[in-house]
Amino acid sequence: MAIVCHNLTVGYREKIVQSSLSFTLNDGELVCMLGRNGCGKSTLLRTIAGLLLPIGGQFTIQTQAKENVALVLSTDGAIERTTVFDIVAMGRYPYTSLLGSLTPDDKHIIAQALLAVGLPGNDKDWCASDYMAHSDGEKQRILIAKAIAQQTPVILLDEPTAHLDLPNRIKILLLLKHLAHEQQKTILISTHELDLAIKTSDRILLLAPDRPFRLDTPKRLMETNAFNEAFGMDIFALPDLGNV
């Protein structure tokens, strides 16, 4: 097991977003977190990443690694005049000296991280290119490569497929599943990609503002009508658009 939450309450000083969260996420699995806007997906991610303090309860990340968690946000910020190599190299900073010098081993890890996400990590010219000049799909892969280079057992991603076209959304989720299984990482992502989450995730963490959370396999959640209850509608039945 990698992440254990016990009676965890998350939110902000003025507002509790989710409470009584008790669950375990295991090594080597991809867990997709689904729910309506405002149900606490990003808040929970930021709490586990250490950016927010829990309001109540606790969570533990059970690992001996120096760095526990890598976080990939849905927005990359205004990263201008920064090379692809420099972006991925940020994942190595926890392991470098005070001067931030990269060793040959660090550079090898950076190259391998880029190759792991299907990018030309051994092409020096490509690695020296401007990060902002790349497509949204490539930028998302570069940010995931940064998380891989950080060599953490846990990777958290906030809507990693936002703004991507369908082929790239599929590729990113399949990539994350491959990383979870092949490198025995615990990967938790927040997403609105219900159909893709059902097809790719090992388990789904389903949050709702007015009912207890559910954590189960996609098949079991569908069998128990959990998705319709969480979203408050029959999400698998399209209305007759001619009568809308």
Side-chain angles (χ1 to χ4, degrees), residues 84-93 102-116 119 121-122 127 145-146 148-149:
V84 170
F85 180 88
D86 288 340
I87 293 293
V88 183
M90 293 177 186
R92 298 305 302 161
Y93 288 169
L102 296 172
T103 66
D105 187 51
D106 289 321
K107 294 177 182 179
H108 176 73
I109 291 171
I110 291 167
Q112 291 301 306
L114 284 164
L115 291 172
L119 297 174
N122 290 328
C127 289
K146 172 190 167 187
I148 296 172

Short mmCIF file of all heavy atoms in Angstrom, two decimals, residues 84-93 102-116 119 121-122 127 145-146 148-149:
data_model
loop_
_atom_site.label_atom_id
_atom_site.label_comp_id
_atom_site.label_asym_id
_atom_site.label_seq_id
_atom_site.Cartn_x
_atom_site.Cartn_y
_atom_site.Cartn_z
N VAL A 84 12.84 22.40 -22.86
CA VAL A 84 12.25 21.13 -22.45
C VAL A 84 13.14 20.47 -21.40
O VAL A 84 12.66 19.97 -20.37
CB VAL A 84 12.08 20.21 -23.66
CG1 VAL A 84 11.71 18.80 -23.23
CG2 VAL A 84 11.03 20.76 -24.62
N PHE A 85 14.44 20.45 -21.65
CA PHE A 85 15.38 19.83 -20.70
C PHE A 85 15.27 20.48 -19.32
O PHE A 85 15.23 19.78 -18.30
CB PHE A 85 16.81 19.95 -21.24
CG PHE A 85 17.84 19.34 -20.32
CD1 PHE A 85 18.18 18.00 -20.44
CD2 PHE A 85 18.46 20.10 -19.34
CE1 PHE A 85 19.12 17.42 -19.59
CE2 PHE A 85 19.40 19.54 -18.48
CZ PHE A 85 19.73 18.20 -18.61
N ASP A 86 15.20 21.80 -19.27
CA ASP A 86 15.15 22.50 -17.98
C ASP A 86 13.87 22.18 -17.22
O ASP A 86 13.88 22.09 -15.98
CB ASP A 86 15.27 24.00 -18.19
CG ASP A 86 16.69 24.42 -18.59
OD1 ASP A 86 17.62 23.65 -18.34
OD2 ASP A 86 16.84 25.52 -19.17
N ILE A 87 12.77 22.03 -17.96
CA ILE A 87 11.51 21.68 -17.30
C ILE A 87 11.63 20.32 -16.61
O ILE A 87 11.31 20.16 -15.43
CB ILE A 87 10.35 21.66 -18.31
CG1 ILE A 87 10.06 23.06 -18.84
CG2 ILE A 87 9.09 21.06 -17.67
CD1 ILE A 87 9.50 24.02 -17.81
N VAL A 88 12.11 19.33 -17.35
CA VAL A 88 12.22 17.98 -16.79
C VAL A 88 13.29 17.93 -15.70
O VAL A 88 13.15 17.22 -14.70
CB VAL A 88 12.52 16.96 -17.91
CG1 VAL A 88 12.56 15.53 -17.33
CG2 VAL A 88 11.46 17.04 -19.00
N ALA A 89 14.34 18.73 -15.86
CA ALA A 89 15.41 18.76 -14.86
C ALA A 89 14.93 19.25 -13.51
O ALA A 89 15.53 18.92 -12.48
CB ALA A 89 16.55 19.65 -15.36
N MET A 90 13.82 20.01 -13.47
CA MET A 90 13.27 20.46 -12.19
C MET A 90 12.93 19.28 -11.29
O MET A 90 12.96 19.38 -10.06
CB MET A 90 12.04 21.32 -12.41
CG MET A 90 12.32 22.65 -13.07
SD MET A 90 10.77 23.57 -13.37
CE MET A 90 11.39 24.97 -14.32
N GLY A 91 12.60 18.15 -11.90
CA GLY A 91 12.30 16.95 -11.11
C GLY A 91 13.50 16.39 -10.37
O GLY A 91 13.36 15.61 -9.43
N ARG A 92 14.70 16.78 -10.78
CA ARG A 92 15.92 16.28 -10.14
C ARG A 92 16.43 17.20 -9.04
O ARG A 92 17.35 16.84 -8.30
CB ARG A 92 17.03 16.12 -11.19
CG ARG A 92 16.73 15.13 -12.29
CD ARG A 92 16.37 13.75 -11.74
NE ARG A 92 17.43 13.20 -10.90
CZ ARG A 92 17.24 12.22 -10.02
NH1 ARG A 92 16.04 11.71 -9.83
NH2 ARG A 92 18.26 11.77 -9.30
N TYR A 93 15.86 18.39 -8.90
CA TYR A 93 16.38 19.36 -7.94
C TYR A 93 16.43 18.84 -6.50
O TYR A 93 17.34 19.20 -5.75
CB TYR A 93 15.60 20.66 -8.01
CG TYR A 93 15.88 21.48 -9.26
CD1 TYR A 93 15.10 22.57 -9.61
CD2 TYR A 93 16.93 21.14 -10.11
CE1 TYR A 93 15.35 23.31 -10.77
CE2 TYR A 93 17.19 21.86 -11.27
CZ TYR A 93 16.40 22.94 -11.58
OH TYR A 93 16.66 23.66 -12.72
N LEU A 102 23.73 19.27 -12.05
CA LEU A 102 23.27 17.96 -12.48
C LEU A 102 24.46 17.06 -12.76
O LEU A 102 25.40 17.45 -13.44
CB LEU A 102 22.41 18.09 -13.74
CG LEU A 102 21.10 18.87 -13.60
CD1 LEU A 102 20.48 19.08 -14.97
CD2 LEU A 102 20.12 18.15 -12.69
N THR A 103 24.39 15.85 -12.26
CA THR A 103 25.43 14.86 -12.53
C THR A 103 25.11 14.13 -13.83
O THR A 103 23.98 14.22 -14.35
CB THR A 103 25.50 13.83 -11.39
OG1 THR A 103 24.27 13.07 -11.38
CG2 THR A 103 25.67 14.51 -10.04
N PRO A 104 26.07 13.39 -14.39
CA PRO A 104 25.76 12.56 -15.57
C PRO A 104 24.60 11.60 -15.31
O PRO A 104 23.79 11.34 -16.21
CB PRO A 104 27.08 11.82 -15.81
CG PRO A 104 28.13 12.75 -15.30
CD PRO A 104 27.51 13.38 -14.08
N ASP A 105 24.49 11.09 -14.09
CA ASP A 105 23.38 10.20 -13.76
C ASP A 105 22.05 10.94 -13.81
O ASP A 105 21.05 10.42 -14.29
CB ASP A 105 23.59 9.60 -12.37
CG ASP A 105 22.55 8.54 -12.03
OD1 ASP A 105 22.36 7.63 -12.87
OD2 ASP A 105 21.92 8.64 -10.97
N ASP A 106 22.02 12.19 -13.31
CA ASP A 106 20.80 13.01 -13.38
C ASP A 106 20.38 13.21 -14.84
O ASP A 106 19.20 13.09 -15.18
CB ASP A 106 21.02 14.38 -12.73
CG ASP A 106 21.14 14.31 -11.23
OD1 ASP A 106 20.40 13.53 -10.61
OD2 ASP A 106 21.98 15.04 -10.68
N LYS A 107 21.34 13.53 -15.69
CA LYS A 107 21.04 13.77 -17.10
C LYS A 107 20.54 12.50 -17.78
O LYS A 107 19.66 12.57 -18.64
CB LYS A 107 22.29 14.30 -17.80
CG LYS A 107 22.71 15.69 -17.30
CD LYS A 107 24.00 16.17 -17.96
CE LYS A 107 24.41 17.52 -17.39
NZ LYS A 107 25.68 18.01 -18.00
N HIS A 108 21.06 11.36 -17.38
CA HIS A 108 20.57 10.09 -17.92
C HIS A 108 19.13 9.85 -17.49
O HIS A 108 18.30 9.41 -18.30
CB HIS A 108 21.46 8.95 -17.44
CG HIS A 108 20.99 7.59 -17.86
ND1 HIS A 108 21.07 7.13 -19.16
CD2 HIS A 108 20.38 6.60 -17.14
CE1 HIS A 108 20.56 5.92 -19.23
NE2 HIS A 108 20.13 5.57 -18.02
N ILE A 109 18.82 10.14 -16.24
CA ILE A 109 17.46 9.96 -15.73
C ILE A 109 16.49 10.88 -16.48
O ILE A 109 15.37 10.48 -16.81
CB ILE A 109 17.42 10.24 -14.21
CG1 ILE A 109 18.17 9.13 -13.47
CG2 ILE A 109 15.98 10.35 -13.71
CD1 ILE A 109 18.38 9.42 -11.99
N ILE A 110 16.91 12.11 -16.76
CA ILE A 110 16.07 13.05 -17.51
C ILE A 110 15.78 12.52 -18.90
O ILE A 110 14.63 12.53 -19.37
CB ILE A 110 16.76 14.43 -17.57
CG1 ILE A 110 16.79 15.06 -16.18
CG2 ILE A 110 16.05 15.35 -18.56
CD1 ILE A 110 17.70 16.26 -16.07
N ALA A 111 16.82 12.04 -19.58
CA ALA A 111 16.64 11.49 -20.92
C ALA A 111 15.71 10.29 -20.90
O ALA A 111 14.82 10.15 -21.75
CB ALA A 111 17.99 11.11 -21.52
N GLN A 112 15.87 9.40 -19.92
CA GLN A 112 15.03 8.21 -19.83
C GLN A 112 13.59 8.57 -19.51
O GLN A 112 12.65 7.90 -19.98
CB GLN A 112 15.59 7.26 -18.77
CG GLN A 112 16.92 6.62 -19.14
CD GLN A 112 16.83 5.82 -20.43
OE1 GLN A 112 15.99 4.94 -20.58
NE2 GLN A 112 17.71 6.13 -21.38
N ALA A 113 13.38 9.62 -18.72
CA ALA A 113 12.02 10.05 -18.40
C ALA A 113 11.30 10.54 -19.66
O ALA A 113 10.12 10.25 -19.87
CB ALA A 113 12.05 11.14 -17.34
N LEU A 114 12.01 11.29 -20.49
CA LEU A 114 11.42 11.75 -21.75
C LEU A 114 11.13 10.59 -22.69
O LEU A 114 10.07 10.54 -23.34
CB LEU A 114 12.36 12.76 -22.42
CG LEU A 114 12.37 14.15 -21.80
CD1 LEU A 114 13.59 14.95 -22.26
CD2 LEU A 114 11.08 14.91 -22.13
N LEU A 115 12.04 9.64 -22.75
CA LEU A 115 11.81 8.47 -23.60
C LEU A 115 10.61 7.66 -23.09
O LEU A 115 9.85 7.10 -23.89
CB LEU A 115 13.06 7.59 -23.62
CG LEU A 115 14.28 8.17 -24.35
CD1 LEU A 115 15.50 7.29 -24.12
CD2 LEU A 115 13.99 8.29 -25.85
N ALA A 116 10.42 7.64 -21.77
CA ALA A 116 9.31 6.86 -21.19
C ALA A 116 7.95 7.40 -21.60
O ALA A 116 6.97 6.65 -21.66
CB ALA A 116 9.43 6.85 -19.67
N LEU A 119 8.92 10.74 -25.98
CA LEU A 119 9.55 11.93 -26.53
C LEU A 119 11.05 11.68 -26.73
O LEU A 119 11.65 10.86 -26.03
CB LEU A 119 9.33 13.13 -25.61
CG LEU A 119 7.87 13.55 -25.42
CD1 LEU A 119 7.75 14.65 -24.37
CD2 LEU A 119 7.25 14.00 -26.74
N GLY A 121 14.21 11.93 -25.91
CA GLY A 121 15.08 12.38 -24.83
C GLY A 121 16.56 12.38 -25.17
O GLY A 121 17.36 13.01 -24.47
N ASN A 122 16.94 11.67 -26.24
CA ASN A 122 18.36 11.62 -26.63
C ASN A 122 18.70 12.64 -27.71
O ASN A 122 19.85 12.70 -28.15
CB ASN A 122 18.72 10.22 -27.11
CG ASN A 122 18.74 9.21 -25.96
OD1 ASN A 122 19.05 9.57 -24.83
ND2 ASN A 122 18.37 7.98 -26.24
N CYS A 127 15.64 18.64 -27.03
CA CYS A 127 15.60 18.93 -25.60
C CYS A 127 15.91 20.40 -25.31
O CYS A 127 15.48 20.94 -24.30
CB CYS A 127 16.60 18.04 -24.86
SG CYS A 127 16.12 16.30 -24.78
N ALA A 145 6.96 13.68 -17.73
CA ALA A 145 8.37 13.27 -17.70
C ALA A 145 9.08 13.89 -16.50
O ALA A 145 9.93 13.26 -15.86
CB ALA A 145 9.06 13.66 -19.00
N LYS A 146 8.77 15.14 -16.20
CA LYS A 146 9.34 15.80 -15.01
C LYS A 146 8.99 15.02 -13.75
O LYS A 146 9.84 14.81 -12.87
CB LYS A 146 8.82 17.23 -14.92
CG LYS A 146 9.18 17.95 -13.64
CD LYS A 146 8.41 19.26 -13.53
CE LYS A 146 8.51 19.83 -12.13
NZ LYS A 146 7.63 21.01 -11.96
N ILE A 148 8.25 11.83 -13.58
CA ILE A 148 8.97 10.55 -13.62
C ILE A 148 10.42 10.76 -13.18
O ILE A 148 10.97 9.96 -12.41
CB ILE A 148 8.91 9.94 -15.03
CG1 ILE A 148 7.47 9.59 -15.39
CG2 ILE A 148 9.80 8.71 -15.13
CD1 ILE A 148 7.30 9.16 -16.83
N ALA A 149 11.04 11.84 -13.66
CA ALA A 149 12.43 12.13 -13.30
C ALA A 149 12.58 12.36 -11.80
O ALA A 149 13.67 12.15 -11.24
CB ALA A 149 12.92 13.35 -14.08
#
